[in-house]
Amino acid sequence: IAYDDPSIDEEDPRRDVAKNANFAEIYMAGIPKFAKTAGITEPAAKAFKTTYHKKFTHVKPFTREVMKYAQANGLAIDSRFGRRIPVDADKVYAAVNYLISSTAADELKLGLHRINETDWIDFFLLPIHDELIFEVPDELVPQALVEIPELMADRDTFDVPIEADVKAMKRW
């Protein structure tokens, strides 16, 4: 989105720059750190961040609000399910990462709960970070590719729908 180029795929190196920009925002990294982690020059990093903030105008206000919230609530944030997550006084910026990561974990658990209520649970092997691994018989793969992402999706909670990507492989 930041590049206005719909042809960017998972192999495009610009995708890594964009991902690094997101992490730089979450961790409040400056231009030198962003440039180093993204593998680009500092002028390129500065230009990218300028474009990034022009396109994503809600990022900075969101970050400020989350940090203010943490400071006003005893140096803690509350997850979607009410878990209280402490934040170090000298790393209040981490509240943004904690909120995003805990929300992602909550969403994954909700999706897994929905899967648990179906026969797909019989094929579930294990979670790995933000992925769920299934071992599905070949004849059920087409159906799994449709139904599992539908069970993982959350289109009602947030302004932006949460969708799941799914891939079928012979071996993981």
Side-chain angles (χ1 to χ4, degrees), residues 20-31:
N20 273 282
N22 287 326
F23 286 118
E25 287 301 311
I26 291 170
Y27 291 108
M28 306 289 270
I31 297 296

Side-chain angles (χ1 to χ4, degrees):
I1 296 172
Y3 287 105
D4 283 328
D5 182 353
S7 71
I8 294 176
D9 61 17
E10 288 184 20
E11 305 301 318
D12 194 309
R14 293 175 296 174
R15 186 173 184 270
D16 287 335
V17 172
K19 281 179 74 172
N20 273 282
N22 287 326
F23 286 118
E25 287 301 311
I26 291 170
Y27 291 108
M28 306 289 270
I31 297 296
K33 182 71 169 180
F34 168 48
K36 183 178 179 181
T37 60
I40 58 176
T41 65
E42 287 187 25
K46 186 174 183 177
F48 187 90
K49 291 268 276 196
T50 298
T51 300
Y52 180 98
H53 286 293
K54 283 181 183 173
K55 288 186 177 287
F56 306 110
T57 58
H58 291 59
V59 171
K60 280 186 179 182
F62 171 76
T63 300
R64 283 193 296 269
E65 286 302 312
V66 170
M67 291 189 316
K68 273 199 265 184
Y69 178 88
Q71 289 169 324
N73 288 284
L75 290 173
I77 57 125
D78 300 304
S79 78
R80 179 171 169 221
F81 291 114
R83 281 182 292 119
R84 222 163 146 70
I85 303 166
V87 178
D88 293 335
D90 62 336
K91 295 182 181 175
V92 176
Y93 64 85
V96 177
N97 179 40
Y98 296 169
L99 179 62
I100 292 169
S101 294
S102 68
T103 301
D106 292 345
E107 283 294 323
L108 185 71
K109 290 169 193 162
L110 278 173
L112 187 52
H113 177 73
R114 289 188 294 270
I115 287 169
N116 189 51
E117 296 173 342
T118 72
D119 290 338
W120 293 117
I121 197 65
D122 296 339
F123 305 106
F124 177 65
L125 295 179
L126 73 156
I128 301 178
H129 303 292
D130 62 349
E131 296 182 9
L132 302 178
I133 308 297
F134 293 82
E135 190 169 59
V136 177
D138 288 344
E139 65 272 11
L140 294 178
V141 168
Q143 184 180 350
L145 292 173
V146 173
E147 291 181 14
I148 292 173
E150 198 55 39
L151 290 163
M152 295 300 297
D154 180 351
R155 297 181 186 96
D156 302 321
T157 304
F158 305 101
D159 292 340
V160 176
I162 306 295
E163 302 287 343
D165 291 331
V166 64
K167 293 180 186 175
M169 307 168 139
K170 285 292 183 186
R171 292 199 172 258
W172 54 274

